[in-house]
């Protein structure tokens, strides 16, 4: 094993602030939805909007960071070892089998993570954020009687936004569970806090140099 700096400072900041904002947006959003009553509708709606602008700002910085550092390449999907990875998570790990893929600093994500995180970034987050922005302006513009975004009914925007919110919550639960499947139950979480993780030494040097997926 060798100690490797896997997650850079910005990456960790982005990960934890995105997680906190999504949880906060879920709490305030589901209060707006009427699921529970803690802050009261007015405050919940107000804080939801403030947090949503913070999330949009964070996403802009994260897109910039991914392209400037070339980290976007980590998410290029691959089918190589995909079935092995699914098999491992389904029952291999319960029988104490070894991880079918090796993690390195330039190959941080296994084939299943690549696919799931790409879907998260390209589908789930955009559906929730775009429907949220349209929801926001639909209401504001409506309030002033100047209806510009009238192609989308408020009901359909609320539907897509709430669907995105539900899927994000499902993602969160599965994601937190999956973090415990590293070398030790807390090794992945510790790595996202400190940046460092103990990784196996036998990675493929050629892939590591080229930085391209398998
Ligand atoms: C940039 C991102 C987002 C924007 C711009 C946004 C915007 C909005 C707006 C404008 C509303 C209507 C309430 C109001 O008038 O203030 C709303 C409601 C809601 N939001 Fe968001 N939101 C965003 C992200 C999220 C996230 C990440 C979640 C959950 C994980 C979420 C969950 C909800 C829920 C459940 C509702 C209630 C929907 C309904 O029943 O009508 N939102 N959002």
């Amino acid at each position: 094993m060798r100690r490797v700096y896997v997650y850079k400072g910005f990456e960790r900041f982005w990960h934890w602030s995105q997680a906190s904002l999504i949880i906060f947006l879920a709490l305030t959003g589901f209060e707006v939805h009427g699921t529970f009553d803690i802050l009261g509708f007015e405050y919940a709606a107000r804080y939801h909007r403030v947090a949503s602008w913070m999330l949009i700002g964070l996403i802009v910085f994260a897109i910039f960071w991914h392209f400037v550092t070339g980290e976007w390449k980590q998410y290029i999907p691959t089918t190589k070892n995909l079935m092995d990875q699914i098999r491992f998570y389904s029952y291999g790990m319960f029988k104490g089998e070894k991880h079918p893929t090796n993690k390195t600093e330039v190959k941080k994500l296994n084939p299943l993570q690549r696919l799931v995180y790409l879907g998260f970034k390209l589908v789930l987050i955009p559906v929730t954020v775009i429907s949220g922005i349209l929801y926001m302006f639909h209401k504001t513009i409506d309030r002033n009687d100047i209806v510009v975004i009238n192609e989308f009914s408020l009901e359909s925007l609320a539907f897509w936004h709430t669907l995105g919110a539900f899927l994000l919550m499902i993602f969160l639960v599965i994601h937190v569970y999956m973090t415990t499947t590293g070398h030790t139950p807390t090794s992945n979480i510790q790595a996202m806090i400190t940046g460092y993780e103990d990784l196996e030494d036998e990675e493929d040097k050629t892939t590591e140099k080229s930085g391209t997926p398998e």
Side-chain angles (χ1 to χ4, degrees):
M1 300 289 261
R2 63 196 174 102
R3 197 149 178 74
V4 177
Y5 188 49
V6 191
Y7 300 113
K8 318 284 178 301
F10 176 79
E11 201 167 11
R12 286 176 280 139
F13 163 76
W14 159 64
H15 175 271
W16 292 115
S17 22
Q18 176 172 264
S20 315
L21 283 169
I22 288 179
I23 293 169
F24 185 75
L25 282 160
L27 288 172
T28 48
F30 281 109
E31 174 143 14
V32 168
H33 189 67
T35 313
F36 43 77
D37 188 6
I38 300 169
L39 298 168
F41 179 88
E42 283 300 321
Y43 277 111
R46 194 180 300 171
Y47 292 149
H48 192 79
R49 286 175 182 228
V50 173
S52 74
W53 283 116
M54 291 167 77
L55 182 63
I56 291 169
L58 187 68
I59 290 172
V60 170
F61 276 110
I63 292 173
F64 179 74
W65 179 85
H66 275 82
F67 282 105
V68 168
T69 58
E71 285 288 312
W72 65 272
K73 291 182 195 146
Q74 302 260 4
Y75 299 86
I76 298 173
T78 171
T79 51
K80 194 178 171 202
N81 291 329
L82 180 62
M83 290 319 291
D84 291 339
Q85 196 65 51
I86 294 174
R87 217 188 56 84
F88 171 78
Y89 284 136
S90 313
Y91 59 91
M93 66 178 183
F94 301 110
K95 295 198 299 176
E97 285 179 14
K98 255 179 74 80
H99 278 262
T101 50
N102 253 350
K103 187 169 176 177
T104 72
E105 50 272 63
V106 291
K107 200 160 59 75
K108 289 189 281 218
L109 306 174
N110 70 47
L112 189 61
Q113 287 175 318
R114 280 173 191 252
L115 216 58
V116 171
Y117 295 163
L118 196 66
F120 178 86
K121 283 163 188 271
L122 296 185
V123 183
L124 193 47
I125 286 285
V127 164
T128 315
V129 171
I130 293 168
S131 60
I133 292 172
L134 293 176
Y135 202 152
M136 186 146 54
F137 287 113
H138 195 290
K139 282 199 142 186
T140 313
I141 292 162
D142 253 1
R143 207 181 292 147
N144 298 322
D145 285 337
I146 316 160
V147 181
V148 176
I149 309 169
N150 57 0
E151 296 99 89
F152 308 101
S153 70
L154 203 54
E155 288 73 25
S156 70
L157 293 176
F159 169 80
W160 285 106
H161 197 61
T162 310
L163 179 69
F166 269 113
L167 293 176
L168 276 172
M169 289 306 95
I170 293 171
F171 171 88
L172 190 73
V173 172
I174 299 174
H175 181 66
V176 172
Y177 163 67
M178 296 302 270
T179 63
T180 63
T181 64
H183 288 293
T184 70
T186 56
S187 61
N188 283 332
I189 293 178
Q190 273 171 17
M192 197 45 99
I193 295 171
T194 63
Y196 288 92
E197 187 171 357
D198 292 327
L199 300 178
E200 272 175 52
D201 224 352
E202 45 186 276
E203 80 279 337
D204 176 354
K205 295 286 179 198
T206 347
T207 317
E208 182 167 332
K209 280 207 182 80
S210 68
T212 50
E214 302 162 279

